[in-house]
Amino acid sequence: MHHVLEWRNGGSTDIDSLTLACDACHAQVHDGPTGWATTRAAAGDTYAGCTEWIPPPHIDPDGNPRINHRHHAGELIARARRKARDRPRAEDGVP
């Protein structure tokens, strides 16, 4: 888990302030060697409420936020459900 607002800077440890992050990504946030930052996508945005990962200047000088969809469990579950729903079933005569 990752605190979107760093815990030591006043971020709270509750569900609205946390996001999923793999070890490799989490190691690169804030004071890590690459200096990525995180924030939440604003209301009205396509991915409102999702964690935005803001790259350091040496990767993107404009600091354009990016969504890492692998860190959003709801999206992964929805994709798996769609895939299962769309998969041919044996009773349809398709192996």
Side-chain angles (χ1 to χ4, degrees):
M1 296 303 295
H2 168 69
H3 293 82
V4 175
L5 173 59
E6 186 68 30
W7 181 80
R8 67 179 168 201
N9 294 333
S12 60
T13 302
D14 60 41
I15 197 69
D16 293 331
S17 300
L18 300 172
T19 191
L20 296 175
C22 64
D23 288 343
C25 291
H26 194 244
Q28 297 181 47
V29 179
H30 300 295
D31 295 332
T34 60
W36 286 70
T38 54
T39 189
R40 294 267 185 221
D45 186 273
T46 302
Y47 299 105
C50 287
T51 304
E52 296 179 317
W53 297 80
I54 303 166
H58 71 277
I59 293 176
D60 180 356
D62 296 326
N64 295 310
R66 303 161 187 212
I67 305 289
N68 185 335
H69 297 283
R70 294 179 183 178
H71 292 166
H72 295 281
E75 290 182 19
L76 295 174
I77 292 167
R79 187 178 319 137
R81 285 181 175 162
R82 281 191 306 274
K83 190 173 182 179
R85 181 193 65 220
D86 296 343
R87 182 176 44 226
R89 297 181 311 232
E91 61 265 19
D92 293 335
V94 178

